[in-house]
């Protein structure tokens, strides 16, 4: 296999495990859409608003505000768009393959379900459960394209199971805690030149926890906060090549998804409800990623050793912690209908120096609105829409041993459609 194929294959192996989600609805590869009712407010006030059973995810302390039993099921439909424009690519990236484009639209439809349950055991004690997907999404570029040596298809999927408990300490103060069991899967393909198509799959399970508090400052004002721990994975899987099959083998990589802290405010007056939120995410934990062979395979070159225990590559991320700021409002149009509004500023953890086509993330501005309708005393329907205005993402990738650079800009945006049904018993 040629030098270009060896180098780019090395990069692809690491990228598949590190950050390939495409990050369509939150900074990094997190998924910010974790309910249907919150979408219309751009998820402002998530740790203080107590609309429905989705509080089991956003802040379990709020479960003490929900009477009886409550269930909620939501579906967020997301359409991101990632369109590359070449500006100054050189060397191996200067001339795309015959009959190719610049990859078309790398975004794809994603369907993100979630479900929640809460139950008041007694006036002071409540329990809950959340099932959702905190990380993931998918990018896929038309082939052949200029960047196919670095990315064709990238997909990350996760599922999280989160039981929780809450205790009402006093009439104005509640605490909550939960445990998360989370599964993460990654799948990536790219052209590896003479080695054919490179495919990498890896997965693992991990455990985490969350803590929440709620303070009722006045009958109309509430403050809430939640901390979610990081989760550590030892991702295990395989790398394979459609032509250079002797290089196939097993790999592993240690990955830690970040912790986060949210502080939220909720205030109601007359027919209006106002909310705000500040969320910090500890993406600085993701600085680099080492991919290691766990079985012996053929050595494909000096940068891709075949010995078990050898490091295939180390991918540099050098990400920073990120902040998200949001404000929102609700207006009660009638006893059955509530209108929702929200805006948010969502900071990317990535940077121009290490950003790749697998994750063309940049800062986002959310504009959202929604409507809640109560078809019955026990049932609630929520509809929401949000548009993400995403800054253009610059790409300037060079690879040791490969001539030239992959240089250009991604024009990005995302649309989110949400529906949720809640029912109380």
């Amino acid at each position: 296999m040629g030098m270009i194929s060896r180098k780019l294959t090395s990069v692809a192996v690491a990228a598949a495990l590190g950050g390939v989600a495409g990050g369509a609805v939150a900074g990094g590869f997190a998924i910010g859409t974790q309910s249907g009712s919150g979408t219309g407010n751009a998820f402002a006030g998530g740790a203080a608003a107590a609309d429905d059973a989705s509080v089991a995810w956003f802040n379990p302390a709020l479960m003490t505000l929900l009477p009886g039993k409550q269930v909620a099921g939501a579906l967020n439909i997301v359409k991101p768009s990632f369109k590359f424009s070449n500006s100054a690519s050189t060397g191996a990236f200067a001339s795309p393959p015959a009959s190719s484009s610049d990859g078309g639209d790398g975004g794809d439809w994603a369907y993100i379900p979630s479900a929640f349950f809460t139950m008041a055991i007694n006036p002071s004690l409540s329990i809950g459960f959340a099932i959702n997907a905190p990380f993931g999404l998918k990018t896929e570029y038309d082939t052949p394209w200029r960047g196919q040596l670095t990315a064709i298809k990238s997909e990350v999927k996760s599922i999280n199971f989160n039981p929780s408990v809450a205790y009402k300490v006093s009439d104005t103060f509640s605490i909550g805690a939960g445990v998360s069991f989370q599964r993460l899967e990654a799948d990536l393909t790219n052209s590896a030149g003479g080695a054919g198509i490179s495919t990498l799959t890896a997965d693992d399970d991990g455990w985490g926890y969350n803590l929440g508090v709620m303070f009722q400052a006045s009958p109309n004002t509430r403050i809430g906060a939640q901390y979610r721990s990081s989760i550590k994975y030892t991702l295990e899987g395989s790398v394979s090549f459609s032509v250079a099959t002797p290089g196939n083998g097993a790999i592993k990589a240690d990955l830690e998804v970040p912790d986060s802290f949210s502080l939220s405010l909720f205030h109601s007056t007359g027919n209006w409800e106002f909310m705000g939120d500040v969320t910090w995410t500890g993406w600085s934990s993701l600085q680099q990623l080492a991919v290691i062979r766990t079985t012996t395979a053929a050595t494909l070159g000096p940068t891709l050793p075949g010995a078990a225990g050898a490091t295939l590559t180390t991918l540099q991320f050098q990400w920073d912690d990120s902040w998200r700021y949001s404000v929102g409002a609700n207006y009660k149009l009638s006893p059955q209908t509530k209108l929702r509004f929200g805006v948010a500023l969502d900071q990317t953890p990535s940077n121009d120096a290490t950003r790749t086509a697998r994750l063309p993330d940049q800062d986002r501005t959310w504009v959202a609105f929604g409507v809640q309708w109560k078809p019955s005393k026990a049932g609630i329907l929520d509809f929401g829409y949000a548009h993400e205005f995403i800054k253009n993402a610059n790409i300037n990738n060079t690879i040791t041993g490969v001539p030239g650079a992959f240089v250009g800009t991604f024009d990005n945006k995302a649309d989110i459609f949400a529906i949720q049904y809640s029912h109380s018993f």
Side-chain angles (χ1 to χ4, degrees):
M1 183 172 59
M3 180 64 72
I4 292 176
S5 298
R6 292 196 298 269
K7 297 292 185 180
L8 293 180
T9 298
S10 176
V11 170
V13 168
L17 289 169
V20 302
V25 291
F29 53 93
I31 296 178
T33 52
Q34 296 302 330
S35 75
S37 55
T39 302
N41 295 127
F43 294 93
D51 282 340
D52 50 61
S54 64
V55 298
W57 166 260
F58 291 105
N59 182 359
L62 297 172
M63 294 190 298
T64 60
L65 300 177
L66 301 180
K69 301 175 184 177
Q70 306 218 8
V71 296
L75 178 66
N76 278 271
I77 303 172
V78 181
K79 178 57 174 76
S81 178
F82 306 108
K83 294 183 178 180
F84 178 76
S85 296
N86 181 59
S87 60
S89 295
T90 60
F93 306 97
S95 299
S99 303
S100 75
S101 65
D102 277 335
D105 190 345
D108 197 5
W109 289 96
Y111 303 89
I112 307 168
S114 54
F116 313 95
F117 169 77
T118 63
M119 181 172 67
I121 303 298
N122 58 48
S124 298
L125 184 66
S126 298
I127 60 173
F129 196 82
I131 305 175
N132 59 337
F135 300 97
L137 286 188
K138 182 174 73 172
T139 58
E140 185 170 7
Y141 300 98
D142 297 338
T143 55
W145 79 293
R146 186 187 304 273
Q148 67 182 15
L149 289 168
T150 60
I152 296 176
K153 177 182 177 181
S154 308
E155 186 171 17
V156 166
K157 296 182 290 185
S158 68
I159 186 168
N160 188 79
F161 300 93
N162 188 185
S164 56
V165 60
Y167 181 71
K168 187 176 183 179
V169 179
S170 69
D171 289 340
T172 59
F173 186 69
S174 296
I175 59 176
V179 176
S180 285
F181 172 75
Q182 193 174 115
R183 181 168 180 80
L184 192 73
E185 301 177 356
D187 183 19
L188 176 145
T189 67
N190 66 277
S191 171
I197 299 298
S198 168
T199 300
L200 187 145
T201 59
D203 58 69
D204 192 25
D205 305 323
W207 292 87
Y209 65 90
N210 60 301
L211 305 171
V213 296
M214 182 278 293
F215 175 61
Q216 193 75 42
S218 74
N220 297 326
T221 304
R222 187 164 56 245
I223 300 170
Q226 176 177 240
Y227 172 79
R228 279 197 171 273
S229 73
S230 61
I231 297 180
K232 295 181 179 180
Y233 294 99
T234 298
L235 295 166
E236 296 180 328
S238 63
V239 59
S240 63
F241 308 95
S242 60
V243 175
T245 55
N248 298 355
I251 52 86
K252 70 174 183 178
D254 292 329
L255 173 67
E256 181 177 352
V257 295
D259 57 347
S260 64
F261 177 78
S262 296
L263 180 64
S264 300
L265 175 69
F266 179 89
H267 177 75
S268 62
T269 176
N271 289 336
W272 285 95
E273 297 170 336
F274 301 97
M275 59 215 70
D277 179 88
V278 177
T279 295
W280 167 89
T281 304
W283 285 111
S284 62
S285 62
L286 188 54
Q287 292 297 300
Q288 62 181 23
L289 187 77
V291 181
I292 300 170
R293 282 198 184 273
T294 56
T295 58
T296 299
T299 296
L300 299 181
T303 62
L304 287 176
T311 300
L312 283 174
T313 189
T314 299
L315 181 65
Q316 300 296 326
F317 284 88
Q318 301 171 11
W319 279 6
D320 297 319
D321 295 344
S322 64
W323 292 88
R324 187 182 192 275
Y325 309 91
S326 56
V327 294
N330 298 328
Y331 181 74
K332 297 178 182 178
L333 194 63
S334 71
Q336 290 77 36
T337 306
K338 180 189 293 187
L339 304 179
R340 300 183 183 275
F341 315 91
V343 295
L345 300 177
D346 196 356
Q347 185 182 49
T348 181
S350 67
N351 55 74
D352 289 353
T354 61
R355 183 181 297 115
T356 73
R358 295 203 178 280
L359 186 57
D361 190 35
Q362 250 293 6
D363 295 342
R364 303 155 184 270
T365 300
W366 292 53
V367 177
F369 61 88
V371 59
Q372 180 188 91
W373 176 57
K374 297 181 179 179
S376 66
K377 184 177 180 180
I380 300 175
L381 270 170
D382 272 284
F383 302 91
Y385 169 78
H387 180 79
E388 290 184 355
F389 298 89
I390 309 176
K391 290 176 61 178
N392 289 346
N394 295 325
I395 298 288
N396 190 341
N397 300 151
T398 59
I399 304 169
T400 302
V402 177
F406 183 48
V407 182
T409 302
F410 276 90
D411 182 12
N412 303 330
K413 63 181 179 180
D415 292 291
I416 304 166
F417 307 88
I419 184 171
Q420 176 178 299
Y421 179 73
S422 305
H423 199 90
S424 57
F425 300 88

